[in-house]
Amino acid sequence: MAPITQRREIDETLVLKRRWITLALLTLTYFFSFMDRQILAILLEPIKRDLSLSDTQLGLLSGLVFAIFYATLGIPIARLADRTSRRNIIAASLAVWSVMTALCGVAQNFTQLLLARVGVGVGEAGAGPPSQSIIADLYPPEKRASAMAIYSLGVLLGGGLGIMIGGNVAHAYGWRAAMLVVGIPGIVLALIVRLFVAEPRRGLSDVQRVAEEETEPLPSMWRGFLAMLHNPAAVHLVAGMTLTSLVGYALTGWGPSYMQRSMGMSMLTVANYIALPAALVGGASALLGGAIADRMAKRYGLHAQAWVIAAMKTIAFPFAVSFYFFDSVPVALGAYFVSLLFAGVYLGPTYALIQHLAPLRLRAMWAALTLLMVNLIGLGLGPLAVGRLSDLMQPALGDQSLRYAMLAVAMMTPVPIFLYWRAGVLMRRAAD
């Protein structure tokens, strides 16, 4: 038995030494996920003209249709990931959604585009939970928020660069070509992920918890759900992230359209001069947030990470709202970028805290439950709510209906601020 144990220790040491490769590839996979998902934001206006769609239909394509399949299929796939190879699931999922994104480019009507978006949602359902589970096994609690913040760069850079690439390709060759350009490279990346992403032992970075939990059988899916439901801090974190995502998906999903309709910008201007700087500012926000959260956790305890999020969101809120009031484009954009600098902080620390609170053998399941709420409610209802409100306000407000629809959703932000603050209070009480 000694040689077997020694070989396992050597393998685990190698996995930990090369964990940066795994983190980089998982971040790149997340990047492609959001690029393929959010490219629709810059293409809404040409798709609306080409296929004669309403804002409500665009909201369905941007959010609810995608989110239903993405969120609900994430649960059984996460269950599979808690039992089998997470790396293989991620690679297969990446291949599926990349093919379906390319097929969006050949859709000839609303129904065909809707079905292709369903396929994108089905594919992307298998990437997030297994990725978070792998990262949690590779990085200990004191480094996990920073690692998750790096992983969350995929959200911010993927969405921003997707808009930039999509806008430029659509301007030159049409929106269909843009879908093909961002979809096809993901198939190659799927092979690279399969070959080079590590599959660490579960609980590799939580030695003490492994000793406590290794003799316990794998809980059922229902018990996994109840375990989260009976953890008040986890409930508040998931609720806070869900509402934050609802506001975020609504505003980023319609942001390029708003800049074109209400601010008089062209699609190319938004793609080249707004998307990339916004992605870089958001990425800096995520990295800064992860570093601050880890430092505060080391000094005051993990509960302080939830308070960091609440504080940063409080600073961002007035700038995010004022963006819709300024008539001056430079001033409005200034407020927009300041809000982005603080708004992206929540991603890494929230993912890290939920993985910390989750039982070791349910990490993928808890990640999937979180994404179920975030995407079914946040992604599913956020863009749809803006589209529906815009259609309802259009008779009275004309071209400005989108402005006030987005403002109405932005005003929800104080609710998740309270939820994050409360999560920190509950975590501190539990630690005492």
Side-chain angles (χ1 to χ4, degrees):
M1 293 297 291
I4 296 176
T5 302
Q6 185 178 15
R7 187 168 64 249
R8 191 175 85 168
E9 290 176 353
I10 293 173
D11 291 342
E12 290 178 354
T13 300
L14 183 61
V15 164
L16 289 175
K17 283 184 177 180
R18 299 182 61 189
R19 63 187 177 186
W20 66 271
I21 298 177
T22 294
L23 179 59
L25 286 173
L26 293 178
T27 301
L28 188 58
T29 299
Y30 207 19
F31 170 90
F32 270 77
S33 170
F34 261 77
M35 183 171 64
D36 291 7
R37 186 187 312 181
Q38 293 297 102
I39 188 177
L40 203 63
I42 193 65
L43 304 179
L44 289 180
E45 295 303 299
I47 290 174
K48 178 183 176 76
R49 291 191 298 268
D50 188 21
L51 301 182
S52 301
L53 304 183
S54 68
D55 281 352
T56 300
Q57 287 176 307
L58 293 176
L60 285 169
L61 290 172
S62 301
L64 188 60
V65 169
F66 173 93
I68 287 174
F69 289 88
Y70 175 70
T72 55
L73 287 178
I75 300 296
I77 293 175
R79 183 64 171 177
L80 186 64
D82 279 327
R83 296 172 179 268
T84 61
S85 171
R86 295 164 287 186
R87 175 197 59 207
N88 293 350
I89 291 173
I90 295 167
S93 299
L94 173 56
V96 169
W97 89 61
S98 298
V99 169
M100 298 308 296
T101 298
L103 288 178
C104 287
V106 299
Q108 298 300 310
N109 53 52
F110 174 73
T111 301
Q112 291 177 7
L113 186 55
L114 181 145
L115 291 174
R117 287 288 291 175
V118 166
V120 175
V122 169
E124 292 194 18
S131 295
Q132 292 183 39
S133 176
I134 287 176
I135 294 170
D137 285 339
L138 289 175
Y139 290 88
E142 64 271 16
K143 296 181 178 179
R144 199 168 288 154
S146 292
M148 288 293 186
I150 292 172
Y151 172 69
S152 71
L153 289 177
V155 176
L156 302 159
L157 296 180
L161 290 179
I163 290 173
M164 186 184 73
I165 294 169
N168 279 276
V169 175
H171 177 76
Y173 303 104
W175 69 268
R176 299 180 186 280
M179 290 289 193
L180 293 170
V181 166
V182 300
I184 293 174
I187 302 171
V188 178
L189 179 61
L191 178 61
I192 296 173
V193 167
R194 173 63 182 81
L195 293 175
F196 295 104
V197 164
E199 178 66 44
R201 176 174 57 83
R202 298 176 198 278
L204 180 60
S205 296
D206 293 274
V207 178
Q208 182 176 352
R209 289 181 63 184
V210 169
E212 295 171 356
E213 299 181 24
E214 63 181 357
T215 59
E216 300 177 5
L218 180 66
S220 66
M221 188 182 303
W222 177 244
R223 289 198 174 188
F225 171 74
L226 289 179
M228 175 179 275
L229 195 62
H230 290 157
N231 188 312
V235 171
H236 280 75
L237 285 171
V238 173
M241 190 173 190
T242 297
L243 291 179
T244 296
S245 299
L246 187 151
V247 174
Y249 279 124
L251 303 186
T252 58
W254 284 99
S257 287
Y258 171 72
M259 292 176 188
Q260 293 172 71
R261 289 191 204 178
S262 298
M263 301 178 70
M265 298 183 183
S266 68
M267 180 174 67
L268 203 58
T269 298
V270 175
N272 287 336
Y273 300 107
I274 305 299
L276 183 58
L280 294 177
V281 171
S285 174
L287 292 176
L288 183 64
I292 292 174
D294 275 339
R295 178 167 294 188
M296 295 295 286
K298 191 175 296 185
R299 185 169 182 178
Y300 300 107
L302 282 174
H303 68 276
Q305 294 186 343
W307 290 347
V308 167
I309 299 171
M312 295 297 184
K313 287 182 66 63
T314 300
I315 296 171
F317 176 58
F319 292 97
V321 170
S322 64
F323 171 58
Y324 302 101
F325 285 104
F326 291 124
D327 293 325
S328 169
V329 172
V331 174
L333 290 177
Y336 175 70
F337 282 113
V338 171
S339 71
L340 290 180
L341 183 60
F342 296 96
V345 167
Y346 79 100
L347 286 165
T350 305
Y351 285 144
L353 286 173
I354 291 171
Q355 289 295 296
H356 172 75
L357 293 172
L360 292 180
R361 301 181 70 189
L362 286 174
R363 277 179 164 164
M365 174 62 65
W366 276 39
L369 288 169
T370 302
L371 291 175
L372 172 68
M373 301 302 295
V374 164
N375 290 288
L376 199 59
I377 297 175
L379 176 57
L381 298 182
L384 178 60
V386 170
R388 186 58 182 157
L389 284 171
S390 178
D391 280 341
L392 291 173
M393 294 178 180
Q394 199 277 332
L397 299 175
D399 291 341
Q400 296 302 309
S401 63
L402 185 57
R403 178 195 299 266
Y404 291 99
M406 296 176 73
L407 177 61
V409 174
M411 292 300 295
M412 296 175 60
T413 301
V415 179
I417 290 174
F418 167 77
L419 290 169
Y420 274 112
W421 170 80
R422 183 62 180 168
V425 172
L426 292 169
M427 288 185 66
R428 186 177 66 173
R429 287 179 182 173
D432 290 341

